[in-house]
Amino acid sequence: MAPFNFTHSDASTFILMGIPGLEAAHIWISIPFFTFYIISLLGNVTLLSVVGKEQTLQKPMYLLLCMLALTDIATPTFVVPKALGIFWFNLKGITVAGCLTQMFFLHTISVMHSSTLVTMAFDRYVAICNPLRYATILSNAQIAKLGLAGLIRAVLFILPLPLLLSQQTFCANRIIPHTQCEYIAMVRMVCGDIRVSRIYGFVLMFVINGFDLTFIALSYGLIIRAVLRISSHKAHQKALNTCTAHICVMLTYYTPTFFSILTHHFGQDIAPYVHIILADLYLLIPPMLNPIIYGVKMKELRDKVVKYTCRSSADTKFTQRSADTRDDISSGLQCPSGNCQIVREYVNQH
């Protein structure tokens, strides 16, 4: 887990403290961490499985949901196992390389998640404002290209962060008061000149969030304008309902993001553990809620999930009953001497 080169601190380690001030409650705090993570995995894996099996769902809107589900699986996976290791086994050490790698993937996935939300806003704009050309503009191949472009953008924007930090000298106090290797916490441990890293970090935050939110706002502005031109109230409701799930997902993602940023810069009087808990919830709550939101709001997806869930349950019961029936027939079978083995084989095959 060390893709970056280090000139000053290769052999050193950092200490992740978990949630300072709440050490006595680490075991209890681990329960919601573990629960949210398992629910997130189950929900997103189920979504991926259903879309993968159901041909009727393999269209742009659901492919975008799969992209979102992949980021929702990856985000907590890079945080929760290490956090649980701290809470349960007091495994607080992490190498500098491991710390920077975790930071790189967390931020890369976050930018990729934001790119997916932008693409989903564009998808809703085309579906409502230009429905006749929807299949031409947003084919499955186009969605794949947009996804790849979002991934490349995320890697190119985030890669300089760990590269810049890897060239710095870290101070003797290598304690990170957090459950994860957060960029701001790592910058504070640098003993050298960090102006370039700070400037790049701030510019990156404003460029990515500014561009993505502007594009989303523009898409929904055009959607609202198109909807208001529709004379039918029923058509109004139908058009807006197609956007409800996406709006809810955006709120669960961007609201905690900005709240966490504001508390970092303007909440000096807030207890440190509040900042840490907010940062962790930002990585845990959206991945858990997103599949639930789409499952509730999108009838077609909900019906398919119920269909496969019921089918799996029915297949299990049928298999068990068939096995019981074969056992009953075999145990009660009367046959001439020498023919029992042949008859039992016939029963087992049928």
Side-chain angles (χ1 to χ4, degrees):
M1 198 175 178
F4 304 112
N5 292 320
F6 299 92
T7 56
H8 304 289
S9 310
D10 249 329
S12 63
T13 59
F14 290 142
I15 304 297
L16 289 169
M17 295 302 296
I19 306 179
L22 296 177
E23 289 88 352
H26 273 179
I27 292 295
W28 297 106
I29 294 171
S30 71
I31 295 173
F33 266 65
F34 180 74
T35 304
F36 292 165
Y37 181 51
I38 294 300
I39 294 173
S40 172
L41 286 181
L42 289 175
N44 288 291
V45 168
T46 299
L47 191 153
L48 290 170
S49 177
V50 170
V51 174
K53 290 178 181 178
E54 189 61 46
Q55 291 291 330
T56 59
L57 295 182
Q58 293 177 11
K59 46 192 177 184
M61 181 170 62
Y62 292 102
L63 293 182
L64 286 170
L65 285 186
C66 289
M67 289 166 55
L68 196 69
L70 288 172
T71 63
D72 284 341
I73 290 172
T75 299
T77 298
F78 282 109
V79 175
V80 175
K82 180 60 181 176
L84 293 178
I86 296 170
F87 295 153
W88 290 346
F89 309 112
N90 205 35
L91 299 174
K92 298 181 177 181
I94 185 170
T95 64
V96 176
C99 210
L100 288 179
T101 302
Q102 185 193 55
M103 184 194 75
F104 167 74
F105 280 112
L106 280 177
H107 288 293
T108 299
I109 294 164
S110 179
V111 175
M112 182 64 190
H113 190 106
S114 186
S115 299
T116 305
L117 292 179
V118 171
T119 309
M120 293 173 83
F122 180 63
D123 171 81
R124 292 300 85 205
Y125 161 73
V126 176
I128 293 172
C129 300
N130 204 348
L132 297 179
R133 296 188 59 203
Y134 179 83
T136 304
I137 297 173
L138 284 175
S139 63
N140 288 352
Q142 288 297 105
I143 293 296
K145 290 177 183 177
L146 289 171
L148 180 60
L151 178 61
I152 292 172
R153 182 188 82 144
V155 171
L156 292 179
F157 276 154
I158 298 301
L159 188 60
L161 289 178
L163 290 179
L164 287 170
L165 286 177
S166 69
Q167 304 305 313
Q168 298 290 338
T169 303
F170 293 100
C171 301
N173 182 12
R174 298 175 182 272
I175 296 175
I176 301 177
H178 214 300
T179 57
Q180 55 180 283
C181 295
E182 193 181 43
Y183 173 71
I184 295 173
M186 294 195 67
V187 167
R188 288 172 179 167
M189 290 192 301
V190 174
C191 291
D193 186 359
I194 57 172
R195 282 178 297 177
V196 175
S197 295
R198 279 189 177 275
I199 292 171
Y200 185 78
F202 279 116
V203 170
L204 195 63
M205 181 181 68
F206 284 110
V207 167
I208 292 175
N209 290 329
F211 172 81
D212 290 357
L213 287 174
T214 300
F215 196 93
I216 289 171
L218 179 62
S219 296
Y220 274 97
L222 294 172
I223 288 171
I224 292 170
R225 188 183 71 171
V227 169
L228 292 176
R229 289 179 177 177
I230 303 173
S231 57
S232 169
H233 178 71
K234 186 176 180 180
H236 275 192
Q237 290 297 110
K238 185 177 179 181
L240 292 176
N241 282 340
T242 63
C243 303
T244 306
H246 182 240
I247 292 171
C248 291
V249 167
M250 282 195 304
L251 290 175
T252 61
Y253 177 75
Y254 286 113
T255 303
T257 302
F258 284 106
F259 193 69
S260 180
I261 291 171
L262 289 174
T263 55
H264 262 297
H265 292 285
F266 304 107
Q268 286 78 11
D269 297 330
I270 299 175
Y273 64 80
V274 175
H275 294 288
I276 297 169
I277 291 173
L278 286 175
D280 288 332
L281 290 178
Y282 156 66
L283 297 176
L284 289 170
I285 299 296
M288 180 184 69
L289 291 181
N290 288 345
I292 297 173
I293 291 170
Y294 279 106
V296 169
K297 293 293 183 181
M298 301 177 71
K299 186 178 183 300
E300 187 179 11
L301 177 61
R302 183 172 67 249
D303 291 344
K304 297 300 182 185
V305 171
V306 172
K307 169 189 168 184
Y308 278 101
T309 303
C310 293
R311 178 187 292 177
S312 176
S313 177
D315 288 347
T316 302
K317 290 180 180 178
F318 179 77
T319 303
Q320 183 60 43
R321 287 177 182 175
S322 298
D324 293 343
T325 302
R326 285 198 302 269
D327 291 341
D328 292 342
I329 292 173
S330 297
S331 61
L333 196 60
Q334 299 295 325
C335 56
S337 178
N339 294 330
C340 285
Q341 183 62 32
I342 298 173
V343 176
R344 286 196 184 97
E345 289 177 0
Y346 176 82
V347 170
N348 289 332
Q349 290 173 2
H350 294 78

